[in-house]
Structures are given as C-alpha cells and as structure tokens.
Amino acid sequence: MSTKRDYLTVASLSSEELAKVLDLADELKADRRQRDDLAGMSIGIIFEKPSTRTRVSFEVGITRLGGHAAILNAGELQLGRGETIEDTARVLSRYLDAVVVRTFAQSRLEALADAGTIPVVNALSDFSHPCQALADLQTVREYKGSLAGLKLAYLGDGNNVAHSLLEAGAMAGMHVAVGCPDGYRPDAAVIDLAARLAGATGGSATVTNDATEAARDADVVYTDVWTSMGQEAERATRLGDLAPYQVNAQLMQAAAPDAIALHCLPAHRGEEITADVIDGQQSVVFPQAENRLHAQKALLLFLLT
Ligand code: CP
Ligand code: NVA
C-alpha cells in the first residue's frame, strides 16, 4: 500500500507537521548549500495559470536539493486535448517522483492525487494556495519570533490565499481576523474548519465586515489582489465592492505600531494596497517572496525523503 503524502491544503498536514516543515524551512534558509537529498528524482511542474514566484522557486528549489524539475507546459500536454486527469496521473506516476500543479478547480488536484501514486503538491487552485501559507508563516515567525497568540488581519477578498491563511494561522495558534464585504467571505466550510483547528491550538478565526475592526491591534496585516486569475470579467464590480478594505496608511494606524504588512504578490498598488504601505517600512513582502523558496524546499524534503 502506498504511503505517499499529498499537499493539497494546509490541513493536509497536522499542526505538528506544519511546525516541523517551518523549522526545516528556517534551517534551509540558514544553510543554503547545494544538497543531494533529491538526487535521482524528477519532479513535474504543471501550471495551467501564470506564475512568477511559485514556478521559479520550485524549479530552483528542486535543483538546489539535487533533483530534476520537469517543466510541463499544460497547453502542450495531451491534458489540453482532453486526455483525462486520471489517465494523466497514472502515466506521470510511472515517470515522476512527485508533481507540483497549479490549476483551477481543487477537484482536479484531488483527482490527480487519487488516481496517481506520487505526491501531488498544490501550487495554487481557485480554492487554496497552501505553499504560499508556508512562506507566510515562516515570514511572520522570522519577524515576530513566534506565531501562537499573534493577530493576523486579512483584508479584502476571501479567496484562495485567505483560505490557506485561515487554516495555517489556526493550526499555528494565531488569531486570524478576516475583514471583507458580504459576498466576498471565505468559504463557510473553511471558516468552520479554521475555527475547529484553532480550538485545539488556542487561536481563533473570525470574519467581519468592518475593516478597522479586523485590523485593530493586529501584529500582521495581509492582503491579496481583488481580482484573482480567472475572475477578470468581474474586475470593475470587485474594485467597487472591495474599495473600503484597501490596506493603506489609515488602516495600518489601527494595527499594532510594530505591525508588519504582507502580500503574496503580484500586487496592484492603489487597489488592495497603497504604494506607501507596500513600499514602506512595515512591508516585508520581498522577504516573504524569498521564503517561498525555503518553505517549498522544506515541503519537498518532508514529502519525499
Ligand atoms: N504569490 C504567488 O503565488 O505568485 P505567483 O503567481 O507569481 O506564483
Ligand atoms: N488570489 C490570487 C493569488 C495569486 C498568487 C490569484 O489566485 O490570482
């Protein structure tokens, strides 16, 4: 029987495993020497949406661990011509040791994971972005020293990034407060799951319509684009609906004086975050982007060695 592990959502890990991956990420950041842990392994990278950070950091991370990254352009696979996801999974499992996939529906990742025999890593779906959340927690811990008991405010669209942050924050004992309008709330099942996970760690997961209330005394203020990949047709409506949730200097005033500002990037300055905040003293968005590399190397070592 296969013992393979997938990473489809943050809650694919236990809280203990999450902490272990974060510790390993710190170790890998401190010691960046070339390693050979993945020598002889080939890891497929299939992206059905654009990417800068995730794609490059996975490719570089795999190389630095001594493995081979097989970059598979989704449009050039038979998948794009209608071969089923299940048959694709069965075939790729015979060549590759793991596959990193960015796609639309979370169910496509689940189908790949169920039909294949190799670990599947979610590199972003419409529903979640669990690799991002690893780097996010690594970054918070780096700047704040710990995670449990901290307040993380997420402002804006209750999207894939918000879902993974809710899970990760709850598992780490953080108080995750989402500020968003009705109609942009995170999935109810994710809020319930985060509240349940937080119950075991001393954290909490809350959602409010009041941006200032969400941000009040927060140690971390986080936002993401208002129009995610695939939602371009809704852009005008979203700009209007989400305007009161912009992370700007006034909103940062409500947070703790030493709060840090995070954004998964890419950012739209003047929409979800103002230039003075993202380019200002409290912003740690580029260390956060760097940590994608370290956190994902740690995840691959956890899953494959
Ligand atoms: N934050 C993030 O996942 O960025 P990319 O879309 O560039 O990979
Ligand atoms: N919510 C964004 C994240 C991009 C990294 C999107 O899905 O487009």
Side-chain angles (χ1 to χ4, degrees):
M1 197 181 127
S2 168
T3 55
K4 70 132 170 167
R5 292 287 301 270
D6 302 302
Y7 187 60
L8 302 187
T9 67
V10 181
S12 299
L13 304 178
S14 67
S15 294
E16 292 73 24
E17 288 170 337
L18 173 62
K20 192 172 150 186
V21 170
L22 294 176
D23 286 345
L24 186 52
D26 286 347
E27 285 171 33
L28 292 166
K29 184 168 186 173
D31 180 359
R32 302 173 190 220
R33 275 176 296 186
Q34 177 69 29
R35 298 173 62 120
D36 62 2
D37 309 73
L38 303 187
M41 293 193 195
S42 290
I43 298 169
I45 299 185
I46 304 178
F47 276 42
E48 296 183 329
K49 293 178 179 175
S51 169
T52 297
R53 281 143 289 272
T54 313
R55 218 213 79 160
V56 178
S57 57
F58 264 113
E59 183 173 351
V60 170
I62 290 164
T63 303
R64 291 200 187 156
L65 293 173
H68 162 244
I71 311 294
L72 306 164
N73 184 336
E76 292 170 1
L77 293 174
Q78 297 288 6
L79 198 55
R81 292 180 58 247
E83 185 167 20
T84 68
I85 198 113
E86 288 81 5
D87 283 357
T88 304
R90 290 177 190 119
V91 172
L92 291 181
S93 293
R94 289 165 185 264
Y95 307 139
L96 299 171
D97 297 282
V99 65
V100 175
V101 182
R102 172 169 288 196
T103 189
F104 293 85
Q106 181 84 9
S107 58
R108 284 172 75 74
L109 295 165
E110 289 161 0
L112 258 181
D114 287 347
T117 54
I118 53 174
V120 176
V121 174
N122 177 358
L124 180 145
S125 70
D126 292 343
F127 178 71
S128 58
H129 197 0
C131 291
Q132 180 68 51
L134 294 179
D136 298 341
L137 291 200
Q138 185 185 7
T139 309
V140 174
R141 209 165 67 158
E142 195 174 325
Y143 283 86
K144 294 289 165 192
S146 60
L147 297 172
L150 293 182
K151 178 174 178 182
L152 184 153
Y154 177 93
L155 280 301
D157 186 18
N159 60 16
N160 44 9
V161 168
H163 288 162
S164 292
L165 266 180
L166 274 162
E167 287 178 26
M171 287 166 65
M174 300 177 81
H175 301 289
V176 185
V178 177
C180 65
D182 290 340
Y184 294 84
R185 290 170 63 91
D187 190 288
V190 176
I191 300 169
D192 288 350
L193 172 63
R196 192 158 53 73
L197 291 166
T201 61
S204 61
T206 53
V207 183
T208 171
N209 286 334
D210 184 335
T212 308
E213 185 190 320
R216 188 167 295 124
D217 301 324
D219 302 289
V220 183
V221 179
Y222 198 122
T223 190
D224 181 21
V225 292
W226 289 339
T227 304
S228 285
M229 291 180 276
Q231 299 174 329
E232 289 75 11
E234 301 167 20
R235 182 171 147 78
T237 314
R238 290 175 158 270
L239 284 181
D241 291 346
L242 289 158
Y245 298 85
Q246 183 186 64
V247 172
N248 52 35
Q250 193 189 338
L251 187 94
M252 290 301 291
Q253 288 290 322
D258 61 350
I260 53 173
L262 269 65
H263 190 308
C264 59
L265 304 177
H268 290 162
R269 287 171 175 76
E271 293 182 16
E272 75 277 1
I273 192 163
T274 52
D276 56 335
V277 174
I278 195 168
D279 299 319
Q281 292 290 319
Q282 290 172 283
S283 170
V284 295
V285 300
F286 295 110
Q288 179 188 5
E290 179 191 321
N291 285 340
R292 300 295 306 279
L293 174 66
H294 310 301
Q296 288 158 196
K297 282 169 72 182
L299 177 70
L300 291 174
L301 290 182
F302 174 80
L303 294 175
L304 292 171
T305 64

